[in-house]
Amino acid sequence: MPLDLTHSLHSQVSPSLFLSLVLLVSALSQAARRGRQTEAMLTLLVLTAVVLLSAAPRSDAIVVYTGWERHALVGSDVRLSCSFFSWRWTSEDVTFSWSYRPDGAKDSISIFHYTGGAPYVDNKGPFRDRLEFVGNPARRDGSILIRNLDFSDNGTFTCDAKNPPDIVGRPSSVRLLVFEKVPIQAGVITGAIIGVVLGLLILVVAIYYLMRFLVARRVFSLSMSKHGKKGKGKEGSQQRQKPKVPLVYLSF
Amino acid sequence: MLILLCGIIFLHVAALALLFVSTIVSAWTVSPTSSADLWVNCSSANGGYNCDTLETGVWIQAVQALMILSIIFSFLSLFLFFCQLFTLQKGGRFFLTGAFQILASLFVMSGAIIYTVMSPEWVPPTESFGFAYILAWVAFPLAFISGLIYVILRKRE
């Protein structure tokens, strides 16, 4: 990590950055000399932010994003998305590659390649006539669509994207699971039932207290308008008995 | 009358404890080699003793939810009992406490009924019901009686 830091500091201290740093430092010293504290603090803040941002490890690595797992039904279509993050602009020589490794197999087979502005889909392998390129390389999207899934399509799909000169990076994998019917995740229904019942309980309690509050307010306003201050004297006489152990008895 | 109070509280706590044990212990269906409950399937075949989580069906999740709800409601009922004991007027009935406890017993009943009805789907016929299942069925009348007692109970000063 420290190597990255010094490397990025050396390679990215461009003239414009240097000039802005000089201006900020001079503004800071002027504000400090004039005794304007808030101005000085603000400039210091901006200065720190600029230094930190410029020193952030902007290593020339490309980061590829796919999903983690995809669930699909037999016979349906699934869209496997792949996109990447790179500090460089999207070049014209951007390439996307998809490869497939069946569950339990050791080797992977290449099924899709996009290069030189043209997609090349699988025409011999397990996905011939089923694969389609639905991505947009200009927007860094290299997604593919697989039609008419079968149980033999279970496996791991790996997407590798390269954006020259940004080529150092790790490919990313998404696992495809094909089901006969989509299973419900554990705990979804449990949580739903518990949540609904407790929610109803809280709702009933809230409505009860609301009604009581409204009724009490109406009764209070009625009694105030009729009796004025005379009604208040009666409420004070109800005393609070000291809390002994209360006793209970049964009665039908 | 302190004895009555202690007896009622003891009954309530006993029902609550039965609910807890029944929900947590892994013994709803047992066989010589495996035991299963609402959450995991444990089997001691193949030498070791390993458990894996139950496959996610709709009905088993409903049973889980109902058992947990019954525990929650029984707890709330106990808490409400102590609240009402100190705030109720003389001659008042413990309606709220009784209502919550009866609701808890109804939840246990429906959970146990669903489990009984749907268990041929999950459980091979060679396995028999375990003690946690029986505890659930015992907790239902206990909680129900406890709730009824609360309804007919009156506060005396």
Side-chain angles (χ1 to χ4, degrees), chain B residues 30 77 109 151:
Chain B
V30 289
S77 151
M109 181 185 76
V151 167

Side-chain angles (χ1 to χ4, degrees), chain A residues 60-94:
Chain A
D60 279 335
I62 190 172
V63 184
V64 184
Y65 301 110
T66 59
W68 183 253
E69 252 184 23
R70 287 278 174 269
H71 297 202
L73 292 174
V74 183
S76 70
D77 306 337
V78 69
R79 180 176 196 266
L80 301 173
S81 64
C82 174
S83 77
F84 65 88
F85 174 77
S86 161
W87 285 104
R88 308 272 179 182
W89 297 114
T90 312
S91 88
E92 288 167 359
D93 301 326
V94 64

Side-chain angles (χ1 to χ4, degrees), chain A residues 62 84 89-96 113-118 136-141 161-164:
Chain A
I62 190 172
F84 65 88
W89 297 114
T90 312
S91 88
E92 288 167 359
D93 301 326
V94 64
T95 62
F96 288 96
H113 194 68
Y114 176 94
T115 184
N136 189 352
R139 288 182 195 263
R140 303 185 171 185
D141 179 18
K162 301 211 180 306
N163 183 28

Side-chain angles (χ1 to χ4, degrees), chain A residues 15-220:
Chain A
S16 56
L17 186 63
F18 187 65
L19 197 60
S20 52
L21 277 174
V22 164
L23 282 171
L24 277 170
V25 168
S26 66
L28 181 62
S29 55
Q30 271 189 3
R33 216 183 306 133
R34 279 190 218 142
R36 291 202 205 134
Q37 276 199 339
T38 41
E39 207 178 285
M41 271 180 10
L42 273 173
T43 329
L44 188 62
L45 213 61
V46 173
L47 192 64
T48 341
V50 167
V51 168
L52 280 178
L53 279 176
S54 62
R58 285 175 32 173
S59 43
D60 279 335
I62 190 172
V63 184
V64 184
Y65 301 110
T66 59
W68 183 253
E69 252 184 23
R70 287 278 174 269
H71 297 202
L73 292 174
V74 183
S76 70
D77 306 337
V78 69
R79 180 176 196 266
L80 301 173
S81 64
C82 174
S83 77
F84 65 88
F85 174 77
S86 161
W87 285 104
R88 308 272 179 182
W89 297 114
T90 312
S91 88
E92 288 167 359
D93 301 326
V94 64
T95 62
F96 288 96
S97 282
W98 279 95
S99 60
Y100 167 66
R101 180 169 59 85
D103 264 348
K106 276 194 189 163
D107 298 324
S108 58
I109 176 175
S110 178
I111 57 169
F112 173 80
H113 194 68
Y114 176 94
T115 184
Y120 300 91
V121 297
D122 177 15
N123 52 4
K124 294 185 181 55
F127 297 100
R128 60 173 166 275
D129 301 330
R130 289 199 288 152
L131 200 60
E132 192 186 318
F133 180 56
V134 292
N136 189 352
R139 288 182 195 263
R140 303 185 171 185
D141 179 18
S143 314
I144 54 171
L145 182 75
I146 305 179
R147 297 208 154 79
N148 202 9
L149 287 166
D150 190 34
F151 288 116
S152 58
D153 295 331
N154 270 307
T156 310
F157 291 78
T158 307
C159 175
D160 195 6
K162 301 211 180 306
N163 183 28
D166 209 356
I167 55 144
V168 178
R170 288 204 170 86
S172 168
S173 305
V174 56
R175 191 136 182 261
L176 180 67
L177 294 161
V178 182
F179 296 104
E180 218 168 67
K181 52 179 183 133
V182 184
I184 307 173
Q185 279 196 315
V188 165
I189 297 186
T190 312
I193 294 180
I194 294 179
V196 163
V197 172
L198 289 180
L200 278 177
L201 183 70
I202 293 176
L203 195 68
V204 165
V205 166
I207 290 181
Y208 170 72
Y209 274 109
L210 193 69
M211 305 305 309
R212 219 167 76 156
F213 172 69
L214 287 176
V215 167
R217 205 167 69 160
R218 216 166 75 156
V219 164
F220 182 65

Side-chain angles (χ1 to χ4, degrees), chain B residues 15-155:
Chain B
L16 188 60
L18 283 184
L19 283 175
F20 256 115
V21 169
S22 159
T23 308
I24 294 175
V25 166
S26 174
W28 279 61
T29 62
V30 289
S31 79
T33 53
S34 73
S35 69
D37 73 344
L38 304 177
W39 314 96
V40 291
N41 259 330
C42 293
S43 67
S44 57
N46 311 339
Y49 186 77
N50 53 347
C51 298
D52 51 359
T53 48
L54 225 45
E55 60 190 32
T56 56
V58 174
W59 293 109
I60 193 75
Q61 294 192 18
V63 178
Q64 291 172 356
L66 285 171
M67 293 302 293
I68 292 180
L69 277 174
S70 72
I71 289 181
I72 292 176
F73 272 71
S74 197
F75 245 134
L76 282 177
S77 151
L78 192 65
F79 174 68
L80 275 175
F81 177 59
F82 284 114
C83 277
Q84 286 199 310
L85 204 54
F86 293 106
T87 63
L88 214 53
Q89 291 170 349
K90 174 180 167 174
R93 288 186 192 259
F94 294 82
F95 274 133
L96 214 53
T97 311
F100 271 67
Q101 185 73 336
I102 290 180
L103 270 179
S105 76
L106 287 180
F107 283 141
V108 169
M109 181 185 76
S110 15
I113 285 179
I114 292 179
Y115 192 87
T116 314
V117 167
M118 302 304 290
S119 67
E121 242 180 51
W122 309 313
V123 172
T126 55
E127 302 191 350
S128 56
F129 289 115
F131 78 91
Y133 172 77
I134 297 176
L135 280 185
W137 273 114
V138 168
F140 155 58
L142 229 54
F144 196 69
I145 292 173
S146 166
L148 277 181
I149 291 182
Y150 282 127
V151 167
I152 63 179
L153 203 67
R154 273 188 197 274
K155 170 126 182 251

